[in-house]
Amino acid sequence: QVQLVESGGGVVQPGRSLRLSCAASGFIFGGYGMHWVRQAPGKGLEWVALVSYDGSNKYYADSVKGRFAISRDNSKNTLFLQMNSLRAEDTGVYYCAKDQSGGWCHYWGQGTLVTVSS
Amino acid sequence: EIVLTQSPATLSLSPGERATLSCRASQSVNNHLAWYQQKPGQAPRLLIYDTSNRASGIPARISGSGSGTDFTLTISSLEPEDFAVYYCQQRGNWPPSITFGQGTRLEIK
């Protein structure tokens, strides 16, 4: 069965960097696009980024463009999110999700919490 | 950016009743709309994609409809496990421009 496990979250000061990982199993990782979606405490869902199946195309929400970078290592079945110049408003649970049909988040991990605070 | 507005914010119903949740887009999304369910402390789950296609394992009592800017998620007869928060999502045209609605909380009356 599809399994996605995020890691790398934690407490970080504003302006610093953090790298999230998402380990995938149970499907052909290199055959699917992958998303990052976040959720601020007590708030709704916000799409963050999408990477194509081979890593050649990457798309970002305006709120993170220029600060975050999505990437993947298909040889290790792992998705990444490099987050730079972090702000308090980046605080939340970050989920990775398997893409379906170019834009739907079919399977989700359990999330990793990022807290940006001094 | 396409804005999705969900209504009502909160819906209070009893098990066995019919639930109708609405999602309105600020411009046409064609049929590129999905619905997700999220329970407390859990990740979201895809219910419906492309307006009316049920994701794998989703029961037939859950259905989606609509087109253009107005979409509806219907749960024909509420089960206890259906009480949760529901989000709509659009994916726009290529390249994807993905946004979520603010959510509708379906609570037990």
Side-chain angles (χ1 to χ4, degrees):
Chain A
Q1 70 282 18
V2 174
Q3 190 168 12
L4 300 168
V5 179
E6 301 93 339
S7 61
V11 181
V12 61
Q13 293 179 328
R16 303 298 291 266
S17 299
L18 204 60
R19 190 194 199 200
L20 306 183
S21 299
C22 170
S25 60
F27 65 104
I28 301 174
F29 181 70
Y32 294 89
M34 295 292 296
H35 299 262
W36 286 101
V37 178
R38 67 185 181 184
Q39 187 169 34
K43 303 297 185 182
L45 302 171
E46 181 186 14
W47 175 77
V48 172
L50 165 65
V51 62
S52 60
Y53 69 99
D54 61 354
S56 62
N57 293 294
K58 303 170 185 181
Y59 310 96
Y60 299 94
D62 287 344
S63 58
V64 306
K65 202 172 293 182
R67 299 188 300 123
F68 288 13
I70 190 172
S71 63
R72 63 190 301 159
D73 184 340
N74 286 348
S75 69
K76 296 182 178 179
N77 290 351
T78 304
L79 174 73
F80 301 102
L81 184 67
Q82 177 67 43
M83 304 186 294
N84 300 326
S85 303
L86 283 161
R87 306 167 180 168
E89 55 265 35
D90 295 319
T91 293
V93 175
Y94 283 71
Y95 297 100
C96 64
K98 174 179 172 284
D99 179 69
Q100 174 172 318
S101 306
W104 312 129
C105 300
H106 192 184
Y107 292 97
W108 299 61
Q110 283 305 300
T112 186
L113 177 62
V114 173
T115 303
V116 183
S117 173
S118 54
Chain B
E1 175 182 290
I2 297 175
V3 176
L4 298 178
T5 302
Q6 293 186 239
S7 61
T10 303
L11 184 59
S12 300
L13 294 170
S14 301
E17 291 192 294
R18 181 184 187 90
T20 303
L21 287 66
S22 175
C23 178
R24 176 164 289 179
S26 58
Q27 59 185 274
S28 176
V29 298
N30 297 308
N31 72 329
H32 300 320
L33 192 105
W35 292 91
Y36 299 82
Q37 177 194 68
Q38 187 178 31
K39 297 179 180 179
Q42 296 185 16
R45 177 173 70 148
L46 177 66
L47 301 176
I48 301 286
Y49 64 95
D50 290 335
T51 297
S52 59
N53 294 304
R54 273 186 292 273
S56 55
I58 303 304
R61 67 177 185 276
I62 296 175
S63 63
S65 62
S67 65
T69 60
D70 290 294
F71 299 86
T72 300
L73 178 73
T74 301
I75 306 174
S76 59
S77 180
L78 286 165
E79 298 286 343
E81 62 266 27
D82 296 331
F83 292 93
V85 178
Y86 291 82
Y87 295 95
C88 59
Q89 177 228 325
Q90 65 82 27
R91 67 171 176 87
N93 293 315
W94 202 259
S97 170
I98 296 171
T99 54
F100 288 89
Q102 83 280 15
T104 289
R105 180 179 305 276
L106 178 57
E107 64 177 27
I108 299 177
K109 186 173 182 180

